[in-house]
């Protein structure tokens, strides 16, 4: 035996990328934010409603206040690459969750390469990346669902190492 064989079931990959734009109000601004997400992802975004009324923010219960979409596969990797380029491949260590997922936000969508349109305006958005390994399907399938072992789950350290290896990323101790 010359070299140790790498176990393909231990490879970490992007399960999905969630993009979210929270406008905080329904109406024209929300539909323009949905157009931004549609331009970026190439798919129609979904809308989220407010869970309860907050008078100081001026929102009512069940009023649409944000739009989001979930992207999978190669398209998710390409959009994530563009988002990390805006952040200069530098993330705060607090961006990573204990389950091995991570998220960050950007202030202007035009930094992603979308052309500025004065009729739409400029919107910030949140990126959230869910990482997984082959075999994670057993947790979500309809028939014979079962648990994933603790050693097979992606940890915070593993996701940080994956980020550093895949994107040559830099982890900082200070929030930027």
């Amino acid at each position: 035996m010359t070299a140790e064989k790498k176990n393909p079931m231990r490879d970490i990959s992007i399960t999905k990328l969630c993009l979210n734009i929270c406008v905080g109000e329904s109406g024209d601004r929300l539909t323009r934010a949905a157009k931004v997400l549609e331009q970026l992802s190439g798919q129609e975004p979904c809308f989220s409603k407010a869970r309860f009324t907050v008078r100081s923010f001026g929102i009512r219960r069940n009023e649409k206040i944000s739009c989001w979409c979930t992207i999978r596969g190669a398209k998710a990797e390409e959009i994530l690459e563009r988002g990390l380029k805006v952040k200069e491949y530098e993330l705060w260590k607090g961006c990573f969750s204990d389950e091995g997922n991570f998220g960050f936000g950007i202030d202007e969508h035009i930094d992603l390469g979308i052309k500025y349109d004065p009729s739409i305006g400029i919107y910030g958005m949140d990126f959230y990346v869910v990482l997984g390994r082959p075999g994670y399907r057993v947790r979500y399938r309809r028939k014979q669902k079962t648990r994933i072992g603790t050693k097979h789950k992606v940890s915070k350290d593993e996701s940080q190492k994956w980020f550093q290896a895949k994107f040559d990323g830099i982890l900082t101790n200070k929030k930027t």
Side-chain angles (χ1 to χ4, degrees):
M1 305 289 155
T2 55
E4 263 187 62
K5 291 181 182 173
K6 191 169 177 252
N7 187 350
M9 294 295 280
R10 300 291 295 168
D11 291 341
I12 297 174
S13 62
I14 299 172
T15 303
K16 62 183 175 181
L17 169 67
C18 303
L19 297 176
N20 178 41
I21 298 178
C22 187
V23 179
E25 63 185 58
S26 60
D28 195 36
R29 282 191 64 210
L30 185 62
T31 54
R32 290 191 309 230
K35 283 181 188 173
V36 168
L37 273 182
E38 196 166 347
Q39 283 177 340
L40 183 63
S41 65
Q43 58 194 45
E44 188 179 335
C46 298
F47 295 94
S48 295
K49 296 178 179 178
R51 290 187 289 171
F52 41 82
T53 301
V54 181
R55 295 188 80 177
S56 58
F57 293 150
I59 59 171
R60 293 184 304 277
R61 186 172 187 265
N62 288 333
E63 181 183 14
K64 291 180 180 178
I65 58 169
S66 73
C67 55
W68 56 274
C69 64
T70 302
I71 302 149
R72 298 172 194 270
K75 183 86 173 164
E77 279 189 40
E78 183 239 319
I79 293 173
L80 176 62
E81 181 85 35
R82 285 162 57 184
L84 287 170
K85 195 178 289 182
V86 172
K87 294 295 253 183
E88 296 171 348
Y89 299 97
E90 194 171 302
L91 290 180
W92 177 47
K93 285 183 179 177
C95 292
F96 291 83
S97 73
D98 292 332
E99 286 79 35
N101 307 322
F102 66 95
F104 60 94
I106 60 168
D107 295 325
E108 298 179 349
H109 75 275
I110 54 173
D111 293 336
L112 296 170
I114 298 174
K115 203 163 192 151
Y116 174 68
D117 185 2
S119 64
I120 291 178
I122 294 177
Y123 291 94
M125 65 177 61
D126 300 321
F127 285 71
Y128 198 75
V129 181
V130 178
L131 299 177
R133 287 193 164 112
Y136 264 41
R137 181 180 170 271
V138 298
R139 179 188 222 175
Y140 302 107
R141 64 187 177 192
R142 187 178 180 129
K143 190 177 178 184
Q144 293 182 335
K145 282 184 185 177
T146 188
R147 294 185 309 199
I148 295 171
T150 52
K151 289 185 177 181
H152 197 63
K153 290 180 182 173
V154 179
S155 70
K156 185 175 188 173
D157 292 334
E158 288 172 330
S159 64
Q160 288 175 347
K161 286 176 186 168
W162 176 85
F163 167 70
Q164 289 174 321
K166 175 114 176 155
F167 298 105
D168 294 324
I170 302 163
L171 295 174
T172 60
N173 291 322
K174 288 189 177 178
K175 209 174 192 182
T176 54

